[in-house]
Amino acid sequence: MNALDLPHPSARLGAINGDAGDGWEILSTARAAKAAGRDVVDLTIGDHDRTTPAPILDALEASARGGHTGYASVPGIDALRAALAARVTARPGVATTAENVLVTAGGQAALFAAATGVADPGDTLLYIDPYYATYPGTIRGAAARAVPVTARAADGFQPTPHALAAAPPARGLLINTPNNPTGVVYTEETLEQIAAFARARNLWVISDEVYDGQVWSGQHLSPRALPGMARRTLVVGSFSKSHIMTGSRIGWLIGPAPMIAQLSDLLTVTTYGVPGYIQDAALAALTDGAALEREVAETYRRRRDLALATLSGASGLSLVQPDGAMYVMVDIRATGLDGRSFAEALMQAHAVAVMPGESFGQAAAGHVRIALTADDARLTKALDKLKTFAAGLAA
Ligand code: PMP
């Protein structure tokens, strides 16, 4: 048989990573350097520099040993759905019941469910550039067309009504605030403009709020809380960032009850739910973990302050004011390099690994993203090196 006659993977699979690749080489460079014994300060991926706290692991173990090892309820166990509804009702203040809540395998599975839930094959879903790296692939994996709407550095990475108005017809808009990669928090004005746009065009809004507990000034705002928006908004949440549970794969989706019921059917044919002992651990994290959540957030606030103190006023770079999440975005265009070359050269010269802005879209070109994922001393040392390096290039 000729190879051409063999069955081949779907075009949809091939499209997931269609244009990926640009700007991700730094990860293999850093990994290789580490393997060769170099002490690399890794500020690339947004994962914590500590493991899941003991009380959460204790709850996980107690649940598993207590027998919660069989199939668990697919939309989520009642107690967890109720606890999440209470959390969402309190913050950001929209009446929410268990029927509005779907427990998912991380925020990522919630993103995929939401994209699948709002778009038919070939429909357009808009997303804001700069974006969290999986967005275009998630949309294409859901067989939709992924179209970016640019939020320019010059506008503080806030999407403008002008940019939104220029977007093609679509079924929905995916936004993320507090934002990865920029650390920017959308203003009330921006969210109102987004809501007005969604109402005018009859769009769904998929609002990724996985950093909702990591806001450094004011309080977290959700478009779901704006007039007429609860019926057209799906909110993505996660235990990954708030409770150091990245590897447990547990998050949630909030939305109108009929949509959530239908999306539960999608989970039945994909993950068949999240393990019961992970759900119990998450419930324990929610009910007893308020102090932990504050402490985790406080760590990133402190490091963000450290980063601002270390880098502000440095020559060759300027900071994008980070008001949330666990990242600092730095504009390095004054060095004459693009984000990729800067990140590669910094890695070679100083064994400090940061992400090129280009990894997160065209709008972040000429920037690098620093994940605040090293302890204070290592972070400060690494940022000092970055600062000296940028100043040397700019001179
Ligand atoms: N959304 C954003 C903005 C993220 O930064 C991440 C993780 N880095 C996710 C979603 C997915 O997180 P998880 O699947 O671990 O909940």
Side-chain angles (χ1 to χ4, degrees):
M1 195 187 291
N2 184 315
L4 287 175
D5 298 330
L6 290 171
H8 52 78
S10 68
R12 182 173 163 192
L13 273 190
I16 290 177
N17 277 339
D19 56 5
D22 275 7
W24 287 90
E25 300 82 357
I26 188 75
L27 295 182
S28 15
T29 311
R31 213 166 289 148
K34 277 190 226 172
R38 229 174 145 197
D39 179 21
V40 176
V41 186
D42 190 345
L43 309 177
T44 55
I45 300 285
D47 204 349
H48 310 272
D49 52 318
R50 56 187 278 212
T51 54
T52 305
I56 297 176
L57 294 180
D58 290 344
L60 192 158
E61 184 181 356
S63 169
R65 293 205 182 273
H68 212 167
T69 55
Y71 294 122
S73 165
V74 171
I77 57 175
D78 293 343
L80 181 57
R81 291 177 88 194
L84 283 167
R87 175 189 161 105
V88 175
T89 300
R91 178 181 79 188
V94 191
T96 303
T97 66
E99 291 69 42
N100 300 119
V101 180
L102 190 65
V103 175
T104 60
Q108 182 54 45
L111 283 165
F112 183 75
T116 307
V118 309
D120 284 305
D123 282 346
T124 295
L125 279 183
L126 306 171
Y127 63 103
I128 311 291
D129 173 0
Y131 52 85
Y132 171 50
T134 68
Y135 284 0
T138 302
I139 294 170
R140 292 191 293 253
R145 203 165 70 95
V147 175
V149 173
T150 300
R152 300 182 318 143
D155 296 320
F157 292 119
Q158 306 264 341
T160 61
H162 181 71
L164 291 168
R171 294 291 291 275
L173 167 67
L174 167 55
I175 67 165
N176 169 220
T177 179
N179 188 266
N180 178 7
T182 61
V184 162
V185 170
Y186 288 178
T187 62
E188 203 169 344
E189 188 188 9
T190 296
L191 288 175
E192 273 165 6
Q193 287 160 351
I194 286 170
F197 172 72
R199 286 188 302 254
R201 293 235 195 148
N202 195 24
L203 303 181
W204 285 97
V205 171
I206 302 171
S207 182
D208 181 341
E209 303 179 22
V210 304
Y211 297 101
D212 68 346
Q214 294 167 218
V215 177
W216 314 139
S217 56
Q219 47 171 323
H220 173 65
L221 298 171
S222 169
R224 184 164 173 267
L226 296 175
M229 290 303 289
R231 67 183 83 151
R232 61 172 73 253
T233 304
L234 297 171
V235 175
V236 173
S238 176
F239 288 91
S240 288
K241 312 297 174 173
S242 55
H243 294 84
I244 320 190
M245 293 181 74
T246 45
S248 289
R249 311 308 306 129
I250 182 160
W252 65 86
L253 191 68
I254 308 289
M259 175 63 129
I260 292 298
Q262 280 194 276
L263 285 174
S264 179
D265 296 341
L266 178 69
L267 297 199
T268 298
V269 300
T270 50
T271 56
Y272 210 86
V274 173
Y277 46 89
I278 301 285
Q279 295 199 55
D280 281 339
L283 179 59
L286 260 195
T287 47
D288 306 328
L292 166 72
E293 187 176 354
R294 273 196 302 275
E295 179 209 319
V296 173
E298 206 40 55
T299 303
Y300 293 110
R301 178 205 296 270
R302 193 183 63 242
R303 291 179 185 169
R304 171 265 206 178
D305 290 346
L306 264 179
L308 293 188
T310 310
L311 296 179
S312 56
S315 73
L317 53 85
S318 65
L319 290 164
V320 177
Q321 176 72 23
D323 284 323
M326 50 201 283
Y327 312 98
V328 174
M329 196 74 146
V330 179
D331 182 344
I332 48 87
R333 285 174 289 186
T335 64
L337 296 184
D338 60 22
R340 280 169 86 179
S341 326
F342 183 93
E344 284 292 339
L346 178 68
M347 174 61 215
Q348 295 306 342
H350 295 293
V352 173
V354 296
M355 289 303 294
E358 290 83 358
S359 314
F360 310 100
Q362 278 318 300
H367 292 67
V368 293
R369 186 196 76 172
I370 300 163
L372 302 170
T373 51
D375 66 45
D376 298 14
R378 266 171 85 75
L379 180 67
T380 310
K381 233 164 123 182
L383 294 178
D384 269 328
K385 288 179 181 167
L386 185 150
K387 179 169 139 178
T388 312
F389 182 71
L393 287 169

